Amino acid sequence: MATPATFTTLGALHDLPSNDEILDRIKSLARNFLPEGWRNWQLINSIDLDFQVDPSILNKLRFLLPTEGIAKAFDPSAAALKEHPFRDMKVKMLSWAFCRGLVFSPSTLSKQIRGSSQNHDVMGPAVTALKPSLLSREAADRVLSGTSAEPSVRRSSTDSSVRMEALEARTQRVENSLTEILTELRKKNDEEVLEVFSYSPSESEAEESSSLETG
């Protein structure tokens, strides 16, 4: 008869003593990165279980931690993250129960680790919120090597400059048009005022006025 699985929490696994500097750094990374409530995430207590993972899924395996942070946990001076060393890191992390509790993909493995779909779904909001910070191995490699996003940053800066210059030119054209309109309005208004003050009666109006006076 199979022994029923027992459950624990990620916080309880975190609090277990460790004599491994790498695991300690991973725990520190988790404390600083994971959202409030992470300590209550439930999973199967697999400390004493023989946990095996199909090697074919290692490339798909994702932990809810920054990829470049994982590399730094293994080697604080890391300046790159190549494919084979990263696979070795994943294998090592799977040997620690706490790190297994950080797996969120593939979902089938996450559900196996947590013992139910419900426990897996509890992580859903955290995964959605943090996923933009979870870089691919290639992107993390660029970050660590110091080449990340530099071309795009320069391109973005250039694009912004071009857009700003175009906006300024368009604004200047609008201002010039308004100035011309106001100038024309003032000119027209001045001409109308001048006509009022320079009014002189026509010859017929003068004769009519003279006859009225003599009458």
Side-chain angles (χ1 to χ4, degrees):
M1 182 176 179
T3 303
T6 59
F7 287 82
T8 186
T9 63
L10 192 58
L13 294 177
H14 168 277
D15 295 341
L16 292 175
S18 167
N19 295 320
D20 192 294
E21 291 183 352
I22 296 175
L23 179 56
D24 288 339
R25 286 194 288 265
I26 290 175
K27 288 181 177 181
S28 176
L29 179 64
R31 289 194 301 271
N32 292 320
F33 183 73
L34 296 178
E36 185 177 353
W38 67 268
R39 292 182 59 87
N40 298 323
W41 292 346
Q42 288 195 327
L43 64 158
I44 292 176
N45 189 353
S46 59
I47 295 175
D48 298 323
L49 299 181
D50 183 16
F51 192 86
Q52 299 291 331
V53 173
D54 186 340
S56 65
I57 73 167
L58 284 176
N59 287 337
K60 302 176 182 178
L61 190 65
R62 301 295 300 275
F63 296 90
L64 197 58
L65 289 176
T67 310
E68 68 278 18
I70 292 174
K72 289 286 189 180
F74 278 84
D75 179 7
S77 63
L81 184 59
K82 302 307 178 185
E83 182 177 356
H84 292 297
F86 191 39
R87 284 174 61 92
D88 293 340
M89 293 177 193
K90 291 179 178 180
V91 171
K92 183 62 177 177
M93 290 177 71
L94 287 173
S95 71
W96 291 314
F98 175 72
C99 293
R100 290 198 291 270
L102 297 172
V103 171
F104 72 89
S105 180
S107 60
T108 51
L109 179 59
S110 175
K111 292 173 184 177
Q112 177 187 343
I113 290 170
R114 294 171 213 296
S116 70
S117 297
Q118 290 79 4
N119 287 340
H120 167 76
D121 292 341
V122 168
M123 292 180 65
V127 172
T128 300
L130 299 176
K131 206 166 186 178
S133 302
L134 306 178
L135 303 179
S136 65
R137 197 271 312 163
E138 294 83 356
D141 180 63
R142 292 193 294 271
V143 169
L144 292 168
S145 64
T147 61
S148 173
E150 287 186 357
S152 63
V153 169
R154 287 195 294 268
R155 184 167 55 251
S156 176
S157 176
T158 301
D159 290 345
S160 297
S161 177
V162 170
R163 287 195 297 269
M164 182 60 69
E165 290 176 0
L167 178 60
E168 290 175 350
R170 189 161 56 247
T171 301
Q172 187 62 52
R173 288 196 298 270
V174 172
E175 290 178 350
N176 291 341
S177 298
L178 288 174
T179 300
E180 292 175 1
I181 292 172
L182 290 173
T183 300
E184 289 296 323
L185 287 174
R186 291 194 189 99
K187 183 178 179 181
K188 183 177 181 181
N189 185 60
D190 291 342
E191 289 175 350
E192 290 176 351
V193 171
L194 183 61
E195 287 177 2
V196 171
F197 284 97
S198 62
Y199 170 77
S200 59
S202 63
E203 184 177 345
S204 60
E205 288 175 332
E207 290 177 354
E208 181 178 353
S209 176
S210 176
S211 63
L212 288 173
E213 290 176 357
T214 56

